[in-house]
Amino acid sequence: MSSLNKLTATDAARRIAAGEVSSEAIVADCLAHIREREPVVMAWQHLDEDYALGQARRRDAERPSGLLHGVPVGVKDTYDTHDMPTTWGTPIHADRHPDADAAVVALLRAAGAVILGKTVTTEFAGLDPGKTRNPHDSGRTPGGSSSGSASAVADEMVPVALGSQTAGSVIRPAAFCGVVGYKPSYGVLGRRGMAPIAEELDTVGYMARSVEDIALLTAVLTLRAPMPPVQPRASPLRVGVCRTHLWPEIDQSAADALDDAARRLAASGATLAEVVLPRQFADLTPRLMTLVGFEAARTFAHEWHTDRDRIGPNLQAQIETGLETPYEEYIAACRFGAACRAELAALFEGSDVLLTVSAKGEAPEGLSSTGDTRFQSMWTFLHVPCITLPTARGPNGLPVGIQLVGPFHGDDTLLAQARWAADLLIG
C-alpha cells in the first residue's frame, strides 16, 4: 500500500523535482488517508478532492521551479484563499468567499504548493473550540487555535500547514499533537489577508513534522534560498534553561521533558546556565489578556453589533472585558510589553537560545477547552521567535514538547540551533 502521505515536505519536493513521484500521487495518498481518518480527527473545514487533484495535475504538467512545487499544504481557515471559502471558524461568516489570497498563501502558490484545503480553527482563532480532536486520543483537545493544522500534520494528512498565534495558538497545539511548531519574530511575515485579533500580537506561524520543513517554509515565505545543510558547531551552543515563574504549576511530564532535553544537550557539548526572568515578567500574561481583550473588542465591532448571539461564550466574555477596559490601561499594557522586551534582550547576552517548556504537559482530557495558554503567551508578548520540538511522551503516552526561544529577529540563528538540537532530541 502506498504511503506517500508520510513524506515530509522536503522529501516530497525533492522527489517531485527528481521525477521520482508525481504531485498527483502524493495528493491522492493524502486524500485517501484523510478519508480514512477525518471522521475521527475532524481536521478540515473545507476540502474538495477533485479540486486538490486538479491543482496537483497542473503542477505535474509544469516544469518544477519553486521550492514547494507540487507539495500539498494545509491552510488554517483564518487565511484568505481566492478559490476556497474562508469562514474564520464561525457560522457568522460561513458564506465568506474572499477575492484574493492572503499574502502568505500567495507566496506558497508562487512556490508551487498545492493548497490541499482549509484546516479547522477555533472561532475567530480565539478560545472557543472547533470540532477537531487530538489524533493521539480523540477524547483530548488538540489545542488551539490552530487545531486543524496541528492535527492534520500530526496525523500525516498533509506534510505542512499554516497556523497563527496571538497568545499560544501555534506552539500549544503543535506540542499537544506532537509536531514541530514555529512562531517567527513578530512582524517578520506579512499578515495581509489573515484574520486579525490583536494587531500588537498576531503572528503567522506553521507546523511540520521536521525542522527541515520549517526552514523550507521560512525560505518560501521570506523569499530567500533554502538554509544550507547543518554544519558541525564551531563553538558550544549556549543554552539558557528558563523555568519561568510558572514552573511550580507544570505537570511532571513537562518538567521531565525539559530536564531530559537539558541533559542530552549538555552531553552533546552544549553549555547550560540557569536563566531567571525578572520578577515583573510574571505579569506578562495578565497584561497580554488586557491587550487582547481591548483590541478584540474593536476588531470584532461588526460581529458584536450585528450577530452578538452567535459569538461563542469565551469570545463574548473577552469582548465584554475589553469594552470595559480603560484606554489608559491598554496603553499601560503595551508599554509594559515594550519594557519587558528591552530587558529580555540583555538576558540573551550569555545564551544563544532559551530552553523552556512548550505547554503545561500532555494535552488535557476533554474538548471544552484548548488548554492553558500561559506557557506560550509570554513569549508571544515579547515578540521573540519560538519553536517547539516533540521530544518526549507523558504518562498517558501522549506527546510532550520542549520550546526553544531566540532573541527578537534572531530567527535564522534559532532555526539553525533547532535543526542541530532536533537531531539530538527527536527520536
Side-chain angles (χ1 to χ4, degrees), residues 189-208:
L189 300 180
R191 296 175 296 176
R192 182 182 175 189
M194 182 179 92
I197 301 176
E199 297 286 350
E200 180 74 10
L201 303 167
D202 296 339
T203 307
V204 175
Y206 25 100
M207 286 93 156

Side-chain angles (χ1 to χ4, degrees), residues 339-363:
C340 289
R341 288 174 211 130
E343 290 192 63
L344 180 67
L347 298 179
F348 278 102
E349 292 177 2
S351 301
D352 300 313
V353 63
L354 300 183
L355 170 65
T356 189
V357 298
S358 300
K360 185 176 182 179
E362 292 178 317

Side-chain angles (χ1 to χ4, degrees), residues 211 230 233 237 239 264-265 353 389 391 402 404 414-426:
V211 180
V230 177
R233 293 194 62 83
L237 177 65
V239 178
R264 286 196 275 167
L265 290 171
V353 63
L389 305 179
T391 63
I402 58 94
L404 300 178
L414 175 64
L415 285 179
Q417 294 157 351
R419 292 165 80 197
W420 180 80
D423 289 341
L424 301 172
L425 300 178
I426 301 178

Side-chain angles (χ1 to χ4, degrees), residues 11-231:
D11 288 340
R14 176 185 56 78
R15 292 186 62 178
I16 291 170
E20 298 174 2
V21 68
S22 68
S23 173
E24 182 179 0
I26 294 174
V27 169
D29 273 14
C30 288
L31 293 172
H33 186 65
I34 290 170
R35 284 195 298 273
E36 177 185 352
R37 290 284 294 161
E38 179 65 3
V40 175
V41 179
M42 295 185 275
W44 297 91
Q45 180 66 32
H46 174 84
L47 188 70
D48 183 327
E49 292 195 17
D50 290 339
Y51 188 70
L53 288 167
Q55 290 181 70
R57 293 185 190 109
R58 287 193 293 275
R59 293 306 187 193
D60 287 335
E62 302 166 353
R63 181 178 179 181
S65 54
L67 295 178
L68 291 173
H69 190 93
V71 177
V73 177
V75 173
K76 183 179 180 180
D77 194 32
T78 52
Y79 291 96
D80 284 352
T81 42
H82 78 272
D83 50 357
M84 302 176 191
T86 301
T87 72
W88 299 341
T90 173
I92 297 172
H93 295 296
D95 297 322
R96 186 173 177 272
H97 292 268
D99 294 327
D101 287 334
V104 288
V105 175
L107 290 170
L108 291 172
R109 290 194 206 266
V114 170
I115 306 303
L116 192 65
K118 305 298 286 291
T119 57
V120 171
T121 176
T122 62
E123 184 193 40
F124 292 112
L127 297 174
D128 292 287
K131 64 183 180 180
T132 307
R133 272 56 174 159
N134 192 304
H136 301 280
D137 182 341
S138 61
R140 293 175 184 262
T141 179
S145 62
S146 306
S147 50
S149 290
S151 291
V153 172
D155 203 62
E156 299 177 332
M157 295 175 170
V158 69
V160 292
L162 287 181
S164 62
Q165 181 155 311
T166 302
S169 294
V170 169
I171 299 298
R172 187 172 71 266
F176 284 171
C177 293
V179 297
V180 181
Y182 178 55
K183 183 201 77 70
S185 292
Y186 171 79
V188 165
L189 300 180
R191 296 175 296 176
R192 182 182 175 189
M194 182 179 92
I197 301 176
E199 297 286 350
E200 180 74 10
L201 303 167
D202 296 339
T203 307
V204 175
Y206 25 100
M207 286 93 156
R209 293 192 295 273
S210 73
V211 180
E212 293 295 334
D213 281 5
I214 295 293
L216 178 62
L217 259 67
T218 299
V220 167
L221 297 179
T222 56
L223 295 172
R224 293 183 294 166
M227 295 181 71
V230 177
Q231 302 293 326

